[in-house]
Amino acid sequence: LDNTSLYVQFLRDVHEASAWIEERMKSLQLQNKATALSLEEKIKKLKKHQAFEAELAANEARVQTILENGRQLKNPEISDPQQRQSIDDQMKQLTEDWQALLKASKEFSRGLEEAKDILEFNNQVEKIEDWMREKEMLVAAADTGRDFEHCQEIIRKLDHSDMRVDDERIKEINTLAAKLGQKTRLGDRWVELKGNLDKYRATLRGALEVHAFNRDVEDTKERIQEKLAILSDKAPAQPNLEAVEALLRKQDTLERDVSAISTKLEELTKEKGKLMKKYPNCGAEEKLQSLQSDWDNLSEACLNKRNMLNESLTLQKFMKELQELEHWVDDTCEKMDSDEPTKIETKLQLHNERKG
């Protein structure tokens, strides 16, 4: 019963596929009979036929599946001789009908070669015009970016392309246009756009240099502000010698970092000179003046902090020596109080002799 069901399903599938093929063949024959006089009509027929070919391609797997099912049903364990003969006949007819439809489709397509070439030409021109329009909008915007990263993004967008557009490609299009008797203004438009693209790229390269300078200036200003914040930390309310010495070691480390900032400032000063020569209105002078002002504040703060710590160190050393002297006096007084008067007189006499 199961094998009989498979056989019946196969016959049904063949019948449906054959009906579909017959319907498509009639549609193709009607298209052949229709006379397309103008190029526009031919292009319209070509577009319709391209959809027809896409439908054929989508049904290729369906036909092949039916044929494969037929080959499996021909197994003697599944079907009897009469069924196998019927399956052979059905498969043969389906294959012939399918191949006839494919052949007729190709012959119809060859009859539209001129329209096909022109349609392909128009598609290429349309894609190139879209590409040109996109680049023209970028050039017209003349955006040089908010900062270094944004400028890089604009450059990537300007250079990115899903298709090749250059002198050689435009030449190929013009040659094809002449061959097909078509007209296009892509050549003139490309010459103008190419010049504008070169100018815009040069502008973006300059903007990228300025953005890089501005970024370095801002980074250096941030480093200066960090050091100023450290220098503004208040000293301990009741410092001792060890605390002041620790603060001096911390100051030494900070001043080494400040020295590195000074080196960076020198580099930026040189870079500013180069930029001002190339791009007089880039604003590098004002940026560096602001940075120089911050640097002057940092230098003054460093000097003040160093002087304050040195004074504190001198004071703490004095206080420590004074404390040691006080301890010595207290200790001496205690010893004197414990000695007999004769021993004290002897020690005073010895002390006077040594002074003499």
Side-chain angles (χ1 to χ4, degrees):
L1 181 62
D2 290 339
N3 292 340
T4 301
S5 297
L6 290 174
Y7 174 68
V8 171
Q9 181 63 48
F10 168 75
L11 294 179
R12 185 183 298 114
D13 290 344
V14 170
H15 176 73
E16 291 177 356
S18 297
W20 180 84
I21 291 173
E22 182 180 1
E23 182 183 341
R24 297 303 178 273
M25 182 66 83
K26 288 180 180 179
S27 173
L28 195 58
Q29 290 169 350
L30 288 174
Q31 287 290 324
N32 264 324
K33 290 180 181 179
T35 303
L37 301 177
S38 68
L39 179 61
E40 288 75 12
E41 289 175 337
K42 287 183 179 180
I43 291 177
K44 187 181 295 185
K45 288 182 68 174
L46 176 62
K47 289 181 177 179
K48 186 175 180 180
H49 187 63
Q50 286 175 340
F52 181 86
E53 288 179 323
E55 186 181 8
L56 294 186
N59 281 272
E60 172 77 26
R62 173 190 174 191
V63 173
Q64 295 305 322
T65 298
I66 295 172
L67 293 174
E68 178 59 28
N69 291 339
R71 283 189 284 272
Q72 292 180 6
L73 284 172
K74 288 171 64 178
N75 187 329
E77 296 180 359
I78 299 177
S79 57
D80 58 39
Q82 186 178 356
Q83 288 176 335
R84 288 197 293 276
Q85 183 59 51
S86 174
I87 291 170
D88 271 336
D89 294 341
Q90 296 288 339
M91 289 176 62
K92 182 179 179 182
Q93 188 62 51
L94 179 61
T95 301
E96 289 177 356
D97 291 347
W98 175 248
Q99 293 300 325
L101 179 60
L102 293 179
K103 181 179 179 181
S105 177
K106 289 181 180 178
E107 289 177 352
F108 184 81
S109 181
R110 279 196 292 269
L112 297 171
E113 284 298 326
E114 180 188 11
K116 190 175 183 180
D117 290 342
I118 293 176
L119 182 61
E120 177 62 26
F121 168 79
N122 289 341
N123 288 337
Q124 289 189 45
V125 170
E126 184 178 352
K127 289 179 180 178
I128 293 175
E129 286 179 336
D130 288 342
W131 182 91
M132 287 184 171
R133 193 176 300 111
E134 178 187 348
K135 304 307 176 185
E136 286 168 348
M137 289 175 64
L138 286 172
V139 171
D143 189 359
T144 55
R146 297 181 301 273
D147 49 34
F148 185 83
E149 288 73 19
H150 187 209
C151 187
Q152 282 186 316
E153 182 183 339
I154 294 172
I155 292 174
R156 284 194 295 269
K157 190 174 182 180
L158 188 68
D159 293 338
H160 173 73
S161 177
D162 295 329
M163 61 186 298
R164 177 180 63 87
V165 178
D166 52 24
D167 290 339
E168 184 178 351
R169 181 72 185 279
I170 298 300
K171 185 178 179 180
E172 291 172 357
I173 291 294
N174 287 337
T175 300
L176 184 59
K179 179 181 177 181
L180 297 174
Q182 301 296 303
K183 293 182 179 180
T184 174
R185 290 188 61 255
L186 285 182
D188 296 338
R189 189 175 175 184
W190 166 247
V191 171
E192 181 180 0
L193 176 58
K194 182 183 177 184
N196 290 338
L197 284 173
D198 290 341
K199 293 177 183 177
Y200 187 37
R201 284 194 178 95
T203 299
L204 286 172
R205 285 194 295 270
L208 199 62
E209 289 184 62
V210 175
H211 284 312
F213 174 81
N214 292 341
R215 181 189 59 183
D216 288 348
V217 168
E218 291 304 317
D219 288 346
T220 306
K221 286 173 74 70
E222 287 182 9
R223 292 171 63 189
I224 289 175
Q225 293 305 318
E226 289 173 2
K227 303 309 174 188
L228 282 170
I230 295 173
L231 288 168
S232 65
D233 290 344
K234 295 181 179 180
Q238 295 180 337
N240 53 41
L241 181 60
E242 290 75 14
V244 173
E245 288 175 340
L247 288 173
L248 278 167
R249 288 192 295 271
K250 185 178 179 181
Q251 182 70 13
D252 291 339
T253 301
L254 183 140
E255 288 179 1
R256 284 194 293 271
D257 293 341
V258 169
S259 177
I261 296 177
S262 175
T263 301
K264 184 63 178 180
L265 181 61
E266 293 174 1
E267 294 174 0
L268 289 172
T269 301
K270 293 178 182 178
E271 183 64 22
K272 182 267 299 182
K274 295 177 183 177
L275 287 177
M276 292 301 294
K277 288 181 180 179
K278 295 167 68 174
Y279 318 110
N281 299 320
C282 66
E285 183 73 47
E286 293 78 5
K287 285 281 186 180
L288 197 65
Q289 285 177 356
S290 176
L291 178 61
Q292 184 66 54
S293 176
D294 289 351
W295 167 255
D296 292 341
N297 293 336
L298 178 60
S299 299
E300 183 180 358
C302 272
L303 181 60
N304 292 340
K305 188 66 172 286
R306 171 64 69 175
N307 291 338
M308 182 196 72
L309 290 174
N310 285 338
E311 291 173 1
S312 182
L313 180 66
T314 301
L315 175 61
Q316 293 304 319
K317 284 182 177 180
F318 169 77
M319 295 300 293
K320 185 175 182 179
E321 291 176 358
L322 179 60
Q323 188 178 26
E324 290 174 351
L325 182 59
E326 288 176 343
H327 288 163
W328 179 83
V329 171
D330 291 341
D331 185 57
T332 301
C333 289
E334 288 178 6
K335 290 180 180 179
M336 290 177 66
D337 290 341
S338 64
D339 287 343
E340 298 176 0
T342 54
K343 291 182 178 180
I344 295 175
E345 291 177 0
T346 302
K347 289 180 179 181
L348 285 173
Q349 184 179 357
L350 181 60
H351 178 68
N352 291 329
E353 290 175 357
R354 287 177 177 174
K355 286 176 65 177

